């Protein structure tokens, strides 16, 4: 335990020393959680298309290089966990804890990835999304009815989180009565998703993973006894048919729940913050929320990506952006920076609803791991932002937003607003 703590602190101290010495890669990895990293990303961009940090880790802010990396079969997915101790069970048993990203298809390479993704994919097809449209609209309207018109409200707690959380719970066949628990998991997961780096983070990771696994193991057992038409029941059937492992089942349930609402809530939060910061764009949107809602979603995803970066590792020696990379080289794709690449987007740091190419962002990544929930997130974001500004055109921010304490997840966790 003491040796592990020492190793973690030494790693962190090394990172901070490299950052202080001006290494732009270490500056990104060591930035405080919950602050915007855009200035630091620009320092990476200034150093070239693909930058090697002092630790040997590569990083890219280039849209072209991120796209190439994410689509190349020479690169594979990589687990997010920094400390193995974070996956050691709290009860001392031998089997390691299940991690929603490391043990679901999000971190698995083909052919296994292809097979597992196919089990879940039917729930997210365009046809399946069309069938959700009415339900999402009803949820949005019901949640807007609940918003208190008289006083300041927290838009995230009262609306932005509630909509996607209710929708994904319905898809998974989970009780919305456990909403508060899921919100806490979402926040805690955001804080450790870029890897536990201190003994405190290791402890919190172990607690969270233990709690989530217990919940989903129990839920899956119930669905095995009483199957329904929901997504968890479908995955339980696949597991019983030998197509998925039990840890893979639990991890995928967790990934879909957390992925299903945390990042999507950030489209709403980031969309409101971004639009209200630009009075001209705000007025344009209020004049035509129906016509511009889809564009606002794309511009929000581009300007303030809810998942700021993705990591890949070379499976074989390869070349990227003119550099030779040995097998086993990790590369960070700064999606949020690629989305502000001046080679692709004019005046990239501004929200612009008249931009000709708002869809060209990489907020959902690209290639085989392209976000499976992208259509759902777009649907929810479009309906929620359109209805919010139509119902409450006088919506304004009344206090400082507080951001999710994460380097990867970007979005306000608290956003005080008045709708009067
Ligand atoms: C604004 C909303 C969202 C954003 C920005 C987002 C972002 C991303 C990104 C960047 C990836 C790729 C990660 C990588 O390549 O390393 C991804 C993958 C994934 N996302 Fe999302 N996501 C969102 C919403 C959702 C929703 C609504 C769900 C589920 C209901 C979901 C489930 C997943 C899953 C399961 C993967 C893994 C896909 C694979 O590896 O094949 N996400 N997401």
């Amino acid at each position: 335990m003491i040796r592990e703590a020492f190793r973690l602190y030494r790693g962190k101290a090394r990172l901070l020393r490299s950052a202080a010495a001006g290494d732009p890669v270490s500056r990104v990895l060591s930035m405080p959680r919950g602050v915007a990293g855009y200035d630091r990303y620009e320092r990476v961009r200034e150093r070239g298309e693909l930058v090697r940090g002092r630790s040997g880790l590569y990083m890219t802010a280039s849209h072209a290089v991120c796209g190439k990396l994410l689509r190349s079969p020479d690169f594979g997915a990589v687990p997010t966990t920094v400390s193995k101790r974070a996956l050691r069970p709290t009860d001392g048993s031998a089997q390691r804890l299940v991690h929603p990203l490391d043990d679901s298809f999000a971190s698995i390479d083909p052919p296994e990835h292809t097979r597992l993704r196919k089990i879940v994919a039917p729930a997210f097809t365009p046809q399946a999304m069309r069938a959700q449209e009415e339900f999402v609209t009803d949820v949005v309207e019901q949640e807007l009815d609940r918003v208190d018109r008289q006083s300041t409200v927290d838009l995230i707690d009262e609306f932005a989180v509630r909509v996607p959380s209710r929708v994904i719970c319905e898809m998974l066949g989970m009780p919305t009565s456990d909403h508060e628990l899921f919100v806490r998991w979402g926040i805690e997961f955001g804080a450790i998703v870029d890897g536990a780096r201190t003994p405190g983070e290791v402890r919190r990771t172990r607690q969270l993973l233990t709690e989530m696994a217990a919940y989903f193991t129990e839920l899956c057992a119930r669905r095995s006894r009483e199957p329904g038409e929901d997504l968890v029941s479908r995955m339980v059937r696949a597991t019983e048919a030998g197509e998925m492992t039990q840890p893979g089942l639990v991890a995928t349930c967790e990934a879909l729940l957390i992925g299903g609402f945390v990042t999507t809530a950030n489209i709403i939060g980031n969309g409101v913050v971004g639009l209200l910061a630009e009075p001209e764009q705000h007025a344009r949107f209020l004049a035509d929320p129906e016509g511009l809602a889809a564009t606002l979603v794309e511009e929000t995803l581009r300007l303030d990506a809810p998942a700021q970066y993705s990591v890949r590792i070379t499976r074989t020696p390869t070349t990227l952006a003119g550099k030779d990379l040995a097998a086993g080289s990790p590369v960070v794709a700064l999606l949020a920076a690629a989305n502000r690449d001046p080679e692709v987007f004019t005046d990239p740091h501004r929200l612009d609803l008249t931009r000709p190419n708002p869809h060209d962002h990489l907020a959902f990544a690209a290639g085989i791991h392209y976000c499976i929930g992208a259509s759902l997130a777009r649907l929810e974001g479009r309906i929620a932002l359109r209805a919010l500004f139509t119902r409450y055109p006088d919506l304004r921010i009344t206090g400082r937003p507080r951001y999710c304490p994460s380097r990867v997840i970007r979005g306000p966790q608290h956003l005080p607003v008045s709708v009067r």
Side-chain angles (χ1 to χ4, degrees):
M1 174 74 181
I2 291 173
R3 199 182 303 161
E4 169 78 3
F6 183 64
R7 195 183 66 77
L8 285 168
Y9 280 130
R10 215 173 38 189
K12 194 165 178 184
R14 212 179 301 129
L15 192 63
L16 290 171
R17 267 200 312 276
S18 301
D23 174 29
V25 171
S26 306
R27 290 198 70 227
V28 169
L29 297 178
S30 64
M31 68 189 181
R33 291 192 165 105
V35 304
Y38 298 110
D39 287 349
R40 294 181 190 225
Y41 304 159
E42 290 311 312
R43 302 293 86 77
V44 175
R45 198 191 312 283
E46 280 165 15
R47 296 283 183 97
E49 281 198 309
L50 183 65
V51 182
R52 189 171 188 273
R54 283 187 170 206
S55 64
L57 183 82
Y58 288 90
M59 193 173 268
T60 175
S62 151
H63 187 284
V65 177
C66 282
K68 217 173 269 172
L69 162 73
L70 296 167
R71 291 183 181 98
S72 164
D74 294 346
F75 292 85
V78 59
T80 59
T81 318
V82 171
S83 159
K84 290 215 169 23
R85 197 175 173 86
L87 298 177
R88 237 179 260 168
T90 42
D91 65 3
S93 62
Q95 212 171 22
R96 71 168 183 76
L97 292 167
V98 168
H99 188 287
L101 298 182
D102 298 0
D103 295 300
S104 67
F105 59 89
S107 298
I108 294 177
D109 292 339
E112 198 61 359
H113 170 268
T114 321
R115 202 176 57 70
L116 292 170
R117 185 167 162 130
K118 270 194 192 139
I119 298 171
V120 174
F124 296 96
T125 58
Q127 198 188 356
M129 289 306 105
R130 273 194 295 279
Q132 290 287 344
E133 179 137 7
E134 200 180 320
F135 176 64
V136 173
T137 306
D138 287 349
V139 169
V140 165
E141 294 299 334
Q142 285 163 16
E143 293 301 332
L144 286 177
D145 288 342
R146 285 183 60 258
V147 171
D148 183 350
R149 286 153 200 256
Q150 300 314 318
S151 58
T152 291
V153 291
D154 184 340
L155 188 73
I156 308 304
D157 268 1
E158 298 298 325
F159 180 66
V161 162
R162 298 187 65 89
V163 171
S165 153
R166 278 185 62 185
V167 173
I168 193 66
C169 281
E170 168 73 18
M171 289 177 72
L172 291 170
M174 292 173 60
T176 37
S177 51
D178 290 333
H179 172 83
E180 302 299 328
L181 179 67
F182 304 150
V183 171
R184 176 165 65 73
W185 286 351
I187 292 169
E188 289 175 3
F189 187 70
I192 49 110
V193 66
D194 60 327
R197 291 185 193 277
T198 65
E201 287 168 14
V202 167
R203 201 173 48 248
R204 285 196 293 281
T205 307
R206 294 172 73 190
Q207 276 162 357
L208 174 65
L209 299 184
T210 304
E211 209 179 309
M212 289 201 296
Y215 184 99
F216 280 105
T217 304
E218 212 276 313
L219 177 74
C220 291
R222 226 177 320 134
R223 288 288 168 272
S224 171
R225 290 191 304 272
E226 304 154 17
E229 288 308 304
D230 55 82
L231 193 43
V232 170
S233 296
R234 180 188 303 178
M235 291 190 287
V236 167
R237 276 196 297 277
T239 308
E240 287 169 351
E243 294 166 21
M244 266 175 126
T245 63
Q246 181 66 22
L249 166 67
V250 169
T252 310
C253 290
E254 294 173 357
L256 291 172
L257 174 72
I258 303 277
F261 79 90
V262 173
T263 40
T264 310
N266 293 337
I267 297 186
I268 303 174
N270 292 343
V272 168
V273 172
L275 190 63
L276 295 187
E278 298 278 353
E280 197 192 312
Q281 301 297 319
H282 183 201
R284 187 184 289 273
F285 186 73
L286 289 184
D288 182 16
E290 176 76 33
L292 288 174
T295 309
L296 176 58
V297 168
E298 297 311 317
E299 260 301 83
T300 301
L301 287 163
R302 184 194 69 77
L303 190 72
D304 226 358
Q308 297 262 294
Y309 62 80
S310 258
V311 188
R312 294 288 185 273
I313 194 161
T314 46
R315 291 283 169 238
T316 164
T318 190
T319 307
L320 184 68
K323 290 200 162 86
D324 293 329
L325 273 58
S329 304
V331 186
V332 178
L334 291 173
L335 307 175
N339 292 351
R340 293 177 176 221
D341 188 336
E343 297 278 325
V344 180
F345 302 103
T346 352
D347 204 359
H349 302 290
R350 280 202 56 221
L351 183 135
D352 179 0
L353 296 173
T354 64
R355 188 177 294 287
N357 61 342
H359 288 84
D360 290 347
H361 62 76
L362 293 173
F364 292 121
I368 60 161
H369 290 284
Y370 181 80
C371 176
I372 202 164
S375 308
L376 176 62
R378 284 183 159 125
L379 177 76
E380 293 174 330
R382 173 169 60 78
I383 295 175
L385 286 167
R386 181 184 65 200
L388 178 67
F389 282 99
T390 305
R391 179 97 70 108
Y392 302 122
D394 296 326
L395 177 98
R396 60 198 165 83
I397 298 173
T398 54
R400 262 177 89 82
R402 202 167 77 231
Y403 277 78
C404 175
S406 179
R407 293 185 192 102
V408 180
I409 308 290
R410 168 91 185 142
Q413 194 177 303
H414 294 291
L415 182 61
V417 300
S418 160
V419 297
R420 262 178 296 175

